[in-house]
Amino acid sequence: MNNILEVKNLQVSYHTYAGEVKAVRGVDFSVSEGETLAIVGESGCGKTVSAKAVMGLIQTPGVIKEGSEINYGGKNLVAQPESEWEKYRGGECAMIFQDALAALNPTLSVGKQIAENLIIHRNCNKREAMEKAVELLEKVGIPEADKRVKQYPHEFSGGMRQRVMIAIALACNPKIIIADEPTTALDVTIQAQILELLKELQKELKTSIILITHDLGVVADMADQIAVMYSGKIIEKGSGRDIFYHPRHPYTWSLLNAVPRLDGDRKKNLVSIEGTPPDLLLELKGCPFVERCAHCMNICTRQAPPTFTFENEHRATCWLHHEKVQGEYPFETGGALCVEKA
Amino acid sequence: MCGKSIIEEPVLQVNHLKKYFPMGKGQILKAVDDVSFEIGKGKTLGLVGESGCGKTTCGRTCTGLYSKTSGEVLFKGQDVHKLRGKDRKAFTKSVQTIFQDPYASLDPRMKVSELVTEGLRIHNMISNKKEEQERAQELLRLVGLQAEHANRYIHEFSGGQRQRIGIARALAIEPEFIVCDEPISALDVSIQAQIVNLLKEMQAKMDLTYLFVAHDLSMVRHISDQVAVMYLGKIVELTTSDELYSHPVHPYTQALLSAIPIPDPDVEKKRERIVLTGDVPSPISPPPGCRFCSRCKYATEQCFEEEPEMKKIGPEHYVACHLCK
């Protein structure tokens, strides 16, 4: 399949008074047409920063470091001037933000906010753009769209606002939609509505979606590929089935077991991951997960683990897959096809 | 289930509790509207529902943080809202709340040791600084923090650690009953499991009774003995945890359960999902008849006109729906 977006060795740092916070530390991923890539991780693991970098929204004190590549349409966008970014942002790649109330402009009617995109990127005049805005609102399932197009964000409920956000993102038929925790602020019944809508729209428009979330449940039904992030790095990546049924990193395994399941055993204690993620101000010497890992070995504290590749492009960055490691683990180890040095 | 208690030793009994807020212009917001339940000693009742359904208001009214509009809340047989003076102070010693937002509920200008021992000072349970330090360190160890954390300020901690401090603060005066008001919704999944396991451990150790308010049904299942589902100020279904998840009866409970994603792709693909249309109506002017009728696919004419009564349909299983006979 053709990759429409390729991110290579993405590094983002924030320069603060306390020092350099390395929020993203060398991340690689790619998305092909009509595919959904889910980036999963805890708060502070760098998933939102990665998404912002792909949208070109990193602002000072943040910088995308040299050597990072964001390849789209045969160009490395990191090296391009702002004018190139402006064409791409909103036109080719659009973002759905987590908090729709904060992301929408409270002083403009929703219609104007949708039309804005069309006027800038598609050379529509105002009247055409407003007509298109009504169509878009209908498409995302807002009843009485012709009336509601003139209303302001505060007149919409949480779920409806998120629908408006989706309409704005869809306005220019982008190739890629980045959805940054689109349902985290919503109730479960509304979350089900929004996810259903995103799936339908993807089927119809063949858009690629990068779905960022901390909820593995949301991802189960949607993601073709899953990347699990931890302290600025992707520690495991693979197809949805591989990640859910054959996790190869202890973090992924414990994350899957920390989620309470409706069909699971109620009396069983949840697997909790003790401790907290490391401080991103510090230079990480070994594996970032070392302090919370139940299967930590000597080498884990001293040397960063290499990335092992398995069948079906399933990758995991963990020493447990080294040929010398033996022992019984609740997740799969060993059997790597090839190894890349960290 | 009204009037007489069915549990042998109820710690909390709530009978026909109502809490209305005046909204001006003669409008009334019925946040909690005729709610009844009871919790036995050492048990946990989970109170679940979507945002705005009145579950937090219900929790706060039970602890006396809000006055009631009508009905009664009995804590070990005493009416919570009629307590004054000494009795009221004794009541505040046996009831504590763990709040939702560990960022907003802890004073940033107080040291951790002062925060966790504030209740002890108020109830004269410690006499000097040395004792305060000792108790603070003991409590911090109890909730899985380190003794040296006692002299730090709250901004130095992560969300999960702050919630542990919130729990230590609630446990300090050795209460009997704790209202947990969405204690985990602001935390990451891996940390949520830590906190739920901690709460369960404390319950086993200190024989605590919990009212666990949450919107996350899958977490509630892990901690509750009984679960009450709220919708627009009313309890629509109340039963044991196992029964609720294996045989949900009310259409709203069914929809709520089916909306929760399961982290398993194969199960998800096979599952049939009930997607509710529309939003929760405003609690300021709720529809007449059943509150859920506007979103219910089984609604009949009767549902739009007549309000359903709470009915017993099995041992410890109560439902408010016209369709369940």
Side-chain angles (χ1 to χ4, degrees), chain B residues 46-61:
Chain B
L47 193 58
V48 293
E50 292 177 87
S51 48
C53 75
K55 53 192 192 301
T56 296
T57 309
C58 185
R60 291 192 169 189
T61 318

Side-chain angles (χ1 to χ4, degrees), chain B residues 283-303:
Chain B
I284 296 175
S285 49
C290 175
R291 298 272 165 111
F292 187 56
C293 65
S294 59
R295 295 171 87 191
C296 182
K297 63 175 175 179
Y298 308 108
T300 59
E301 250 174 58
Q302 190 191 13
C303 303

Side-chain angles (χ1 to χ4, degrees), chain A residues 41-44 47 157-160 186-193 195-196 199 214-218 220-221 240-241 244-245 251 255-256 258-277 292, chain B residues 49-51 158 161 164 187-194 196-197 200 215-219 221-225 241-242 245 252 255-257 259-269 271 273-280 295:
Chain A
E42 292 178 77
S43 49
K47 52 192 194 300
S157 69
M160 287 293 170
L186 305 174
D187 278 314
V188 272
T189 57
I190 310 293
Q191 166 172 299
Q193 290 175 9
L195 291 177
E196 212 52 37
K199 262 187 271 177
H214 68 268
D215 187 347
L216 279 161
V218 169
D221 197 18
R241 296 191 59 90
F244 276 102
Y245 297 125
Y251 177 65
L255 206 57
L256 281 167
V259 185
R261 289 177 56 148
L262 277 182
D263 53 351
D265 184 4
R266 188 172 81 83
K267 299 284 178 320
K268 216 171 69 185
N269 252 7
L270 295 168
V271 174
S272 66
I273 311 175
E274 290 308 319
T276 45
R292 304 175 77 188
Chain B
E50 292 177 87
S51 48
S158 66
Q161 286 175 319
R164 281 170 190 265
L187 307 174
D188 268 313
V189 186
S190 70
I191 314 290
Q192 283 186 357
Q194 286 178 20
V196 166
N197 287 343
K200 277 172 116 176
H215 66 263
D216 183 345
L217 272 159
S218 41
M219 244 343 155
R221 180 167 171 264
H222 266 268
I223 197 166
S224 309
D225 300 295
S241 204
D242 292 323
Y245 291 92
Y252 178 63
L256 206 55
L257 285 172
I260 299 167
I262 292 178
D264 189 328
D266 283 350
V267 177
E268 266 302 292
K269 287 224 168 72
R271 233 165 129 218
R273 194 171 264 182
I274 312 167
V275 176
L276 287 180
T277 50
D279 289 312
V280 185
R295 295 171 87 191

Side-chain angles (χ1 to χ4, degrees), chain A residues 104-125:
Chain A
L104 292 169
N105 187 338
T107 64
L108 290 177
S109 67
V110 297
K112 272 192 184 156
Q113 297 188 52
I114 300 170
E116 194 182 20
N117 237 336
L118 292 160
I119 294 167
I120 295 170
H121 291 289
R122 294 289 180 264
N123 292 323
C124 291
N125 63 35

